[in-house]
Amino acid sequence: MEILIRNKVIEAIKTLYGQDVDENQVQVQSTRKEFTGDKTVVVFPFLRFSKISAEQTAEELGNYLVASIEIISGFNIVKGFLNLIFHNSYWIKQLNSAISEEKYGIRSANKDAELVMIEYSSPNTNKPLHLGHIRNNLLGFSISEIMKANGYKVVKTNIVNDRGIHICKSMLAWKQVGKGETPQSSGKKGDHLVGEYYVKFDQLYKKEVADLVTTGITEDQAKEQAPILNEAREMLRLWEANDPATRELWSMMNSWVYTGFDETYKTLGVDFDKIYYESSTYTVGRDEVLRGVQEGIFEQMDDTSVWANLENDGLDRKILLRSDGTSVYMTQDIGTAKIRYTDYPIDHMIYVVGNEQIYHFQVLSLLLDKLGYKWGKDLYHFSYGMVELPQGRMKSREGTVVDADDLVAGMVDVARKVSEELGKLDNYSDQEKQKIYQMVALGALKYFILKVDPKKTMLFNPEESIDFNGNTGPFIQYTYARIQSVLRKAVDAGITIPTQVPNIELSEKESTLIKILSGFPDAVKEAGENHSPALVANFVYDLVKEFNQFYHDVTIMNEPDEEIRKFRLLLAQTIGSTIKNGFSLLGIDVPERM
RNA sequence: GGCCCAAUAGCUCAAUUGGAUAGAGCAACAGCCUUCUAAGCUGUAGGUUUCUGGUUCGAUCCCAGAUUGGGUCACCA
């Protein structure tokens, strides 16, 4: 429709003023809701052609468009804005076509669709997931759903950072002071248990450093010489050398962590199509780095450490292999990338990783390019902002980290309290209630995080629990539940809801609702292009806000005119399914009752 | 210090990518349940869009500089 108007405007300028306008100069946008009209043409850019006032130009343009486009019934002019008004029948037609689609606004992939691989989550196996990981997981999952809805094939992947010096630290602490504690013996969740030993290592290390400083050396020297750190380094060396005892300890502790992670992922409702483990990709990366040395792409120092010199590319020198031969983070990322591209015919690779790693991905992209991979430059780092607390960044050492499992449990608790106070679920079984509490709690958490522009730093205040009123997930879930309630009443009354509506007169609210509804496909498309779940969240909120006013002002079931009653039922049903589809792109479920 | 990013109502966030009178929610205040679910709806109040210049018909948006905050520059990940 916008394209039709745009073309007609170009035609009109040509006919009226004998000038050619560039397509980009013609701006057709939805009319803001304070003004009457459906689409608005901005006429300012045409003034240099018409050489008359903005109002007059708009007048002439408006007359031309009314005469040449059947759907346009009239227009009004405010300053340089030409507001076009459509016939009712146009909006009825929009609604009918929305209904006729199986999943309105959602495309599905065909055989030739491009394949997008999306990496997200990527946890370290030395500590449990926290709030930062939650943003990552929710964004990664939602972007995957949005890309699918835009017709791409999607492979969701996870690279588990299961090896490295940090993993050895929790292993070493457990070995020294753990006394054989296991998840079974302690009743602790596996990832939490291992996390405690990671913290323990830091305490032991700090104590050793403090003791060494009293012997008269500097703090920097002490940090370098602390025995426990050297033991951790030695453990990493042994691990890379396949020492059986080290490997056995590693397998055991990692398995505890995986059991814990699986539980958290399941609660969050996220999943993966393919999981890679750093422990099995880093050797491929190491081989690539060594090939790079042979081909003169990287340089090896006298102490055998390997470096990439990126100074000619405006970056610094980067280490790729330590002098003891062990690998770093970058090494394995090179290997993982190579393996992925041989495993899948990837057209687009998206890394969902925080913006603190922008530099890392610049370097990775460049290194892969230097190693001769043509896709190296095409890696897309989807860099999202941090989650901050009122005191600033989360710091594990200061104990300010918001644990993922605790947060969700707390939310479920709040959901239960709110629900019990309202007492709407008193007739339901405990099991049904629990399911709804869970759904509402996660709806609140997910919406809270996903409605914010992913690129921006966001703030989370643990003191104030996440709201359930206003612009929130539960508000939208509630509206969905209300719609389902009306639809159930219709079924009880023996009304069959039609699948198409005839050409009836629409109230202003009704045409506004259809207008918003008809923007859903565009919202999905834009969310895909911008990798932004927030655009979907904002769309659903606008729709729901408008619907609640309609619901409040107008009766559906008590409407005397049967045709209008059925129309409203169909409208409500379509809005309900769009809420559901929209929320599914955010990974949020909607309840039939709440 | 070099490079990168951000700054919008008391607080948390929007603003159709340069358009109209900058919008929501929370918090505050005043209303609305005998009516399809009040987790709702209506109203009041709240702004020099950090500051100074520039670009143009028009700037929260683009450019330059400043201020403030954050990130990053490891033989950490």
Side-chain angles (χ1 to χ4, degrees), chain A residues 255-268:
Chain A
S255 75
W256 298 345
V257 173
Y258 296 143
T259 308
F261 282 173
D262 285 348
E263 204 177 299
T264 308
Y265 285 144
K266 200 174 167 207
T267 311
L268 288 176

Side-chain angles (χ1 to χ4, degrees), chain A residues 363-593:
Chain A
V363 173
L364 176 64
S365 184
L366 203 54
L367 292 178
L368 288 164
D369 186 60
K370 285 183 185 295
L371 284 166
Y373 297 108
K374 61 180 188 321
W375 38 263
K377 292 268 191 198
D378 300 332
L379 305 182
Y380 178 69
H381 174 203
F382 174 83
S383 94
Y384 61 91
M386 319 243 85
V387 183
E388 281 186 356
L389 303 175
Q391 320 86 35
R393 200 176 176 175
M394 284 188 277
K395 296 223 169 77
S396 50
R397 286 174 198 162
E398 289 163 30
T400 55
V401 173
V402 177
D403 178 77
D405 297 319
D406 293 349
L407 179 58
V408 173
M411 293 291 298
V412 174
D413 214 41
V414 177
R416 183 177 50 74
K417 276 183 196 135
V418 172
S419 180
E420 279 172 356
E421 271 170 36
L422 295 167
K424 290 178 186 177
L425 299 176
D426 292 348
N427 299 326
Y428 295 92
S429 72
D430 285 348
Q431 203 185 355
E432 282 171 310
K433 282 190 215 170
Q434 189 55 36
K435 210 177 142 191
I436 294 170
Y437 301 155
Q438 187 90 11
M439 206 185 279
V440 172
L442 280 163
L445 176 61
K446 290 183 179 186
Y447 187 86
F448 178 82
I449 287 173
L450 292 175
K451 76 169 178 176
V452 180
D453 181 347
K455 289 193 185 69
K456 290 191 174 172
T457 304
M458 66 177 291
L459 189 126
F460 175 80
N461 188 346
E463 301 301 314
E464 306 165 9
S465 55
I466 294 172
D467 248 300
F468 286 69
N469 299 318
N471 187 0
T472 66
F475 164 65
I476 290 164
Q477 289 172 319
Y478 172 71
T479 306
Y480 178 84
R482 270 176 148 184
I483 290 171
Q484 300 319 303
S485 173
V486 177
L487 296 177
R488 281 193 298 271
K489 288 230 156 56
V491 171
D492 292 346
I495 299 171
T496 43
I497 300 171
T499 53
Q500 292 285 285
V501 261
N503 225 334
I504 57 164
E505 205 50 41
L506 295 175
S507 72
E508 204 180 311
K509 273 268 177 279
E510 286 160 349
S511 61
T512 302
L513 277 170
I514 300 174
K515 213 185 293 182
I516 296 176
L517 195 62
S518 67
F520 185 54
D522 278 344
V524 174
K525 193 168 159 235
E526 275 182 45
E529 286 166 358
N530 295 303
H531 304 108
S532 176
L535 297 178
V536 174
N538 290 345
F539 170 87
V540 177
Y541 178 68
D542 286 343
L543 178 64
V544 161
K545 178 109 183 95
E546 192 67 26
F547 178 81
N548 271 315
Q549 288 169 17
F550 171 74
Y551 180 92
H552 181 264
D553 295 349
V554 172
T555 178
I556 297 174
M557 284 301 289
N558 295 327
E559 164 60 39
D561 184 309
E562 193 188 338
E563 206 165 55
I564 295 177
R565 186 168 65 229
K566 286 190 169 176
F567 157 73
R568 286 181 186 160
L569 281 166
L570 184 62
L571 179 60
Q573 187 180 56
T574 311
I575 288 170
S577 60
T578 302
I579 292 171
K580 188 173 185 168
N581 290 340
F583 257 32
S584 78
L585 298 181
L586 304 178
I588 304 176
D589 290 327
V590 286
E592 297 302 306
R593 312 173 159 79

